[in-house]
Amino acid sequence: MNQKDVERLFQAARAVRQNAYAPYSGFKVGAAVLSETGAVYAGANVEEAAYVCTHAEQGAISQMIASEGAHRIDAVMVVAGEAGDSMLVTPCGHCRQWLREHNDTPRNLIVYTAGPEGVRRSWTLEDLLPYSFGPQNLDKEA
Ligand code: THU
Ligand code: ZN
């Protein structure tokens, strides 16, 4: 992962976050994924009155699928919180599984968390979702 790709991911996730529709939680999240093709796809959380929401990471992954079909995801950036807080917002359990679906080697998928001021920390998906279940358990290609 080079620094330019990290910056591209951060800018895309920070920008899309402005469009998050989160009137119920007030918690806006922006996410961006880097596909193996080098393209970046962004998504924001979308809430509704019955509280069944789609998450920013799901939005970004859906954009990738709609644009280029399924491809391996090499990195994801999540932007949330306020400048100066120390919150580390990582993909929720369901979103970790969505990411896992698109990389059969979770230690190679880098998860970045950022505030509006910049990147705060990174992990591998293996760190966040060890011993994961995935397509290979069903004899499918990721
Ligand atoms: N949220 C995300 O967009 N991604 C996550 O993985 C964690 C939670 C959103 C969903 C909801 O709109 C708000 O954050 C509060 O849970
Ligand atoms: Zn989630």
Side-chain angles (χ1 to χ4, degrees):
M1 190 60 42
N2 65 49
Q3 205 45 48
K4 193 160 162 274
D5 284 334
V6 176
E7 186 62 20
R8 287 169 67 216
L9 280 171
F10 174 66
Q11 295 299 343
R14 186 171 63 173
V16 76
R17 185 186 183 214
Q18 315 259 5
N19 295 334
Y21 181 71
Y24 302 101
S25 71
F27 193 76
K28 292 187 169 199
V29 184
V33 295
L34 176 69
S35 135
E36 65 182 315
T37 66
V40 168
Y41 299 99
N45 53 331
V46 180
E47 301 182 347
E48 45 91 345
Y51 286 21
V52 180
C53 312
T54 58
H55 290 189
E57 299 89 328
Q58 292 175 304
I61 293 167
S62 296
Q63 283 286 0
M64 178 187 79
I65 303 281
S67 303
E68 63 173 29
H71 281 285
R72 193 187 67 225
I73 292 172
D74 288 327
V76 60
M77 176 78 61
V78 179
V79 179
E82 305 301 329
D85 72 31
S86 52
M87 197 166 41
L88 299 176
V89 176
T90 56
C92 77
H94 191 193
C95 289
R96 293 177 196 194
Q97 193 66 41
W98 268 52
L99 292 162
R100 169 66 181 83
E101 182 70 21
H102 301 287
N103 194 318
D104 64 9
T105 313
R107 72 173 173 278
N108 291 340
L109 195 165
I110 312 297
V111 179
Y112 295 91
T113 186
E117 79 292 346
V119 174
R120 294 179 178 177
R121 192 168 160 178
S122 66
W123 300 262
T124 71
L125 185 61
E126 180 69 24
D127 293 327
L128 301 181
L129 192 69
Y131 304 105
S132 61
F133 182 81
Q136 293 74 18
N137 293 106
L138 302 175
D139 287 328
K140 303 286 183 203
E141 296 284 312

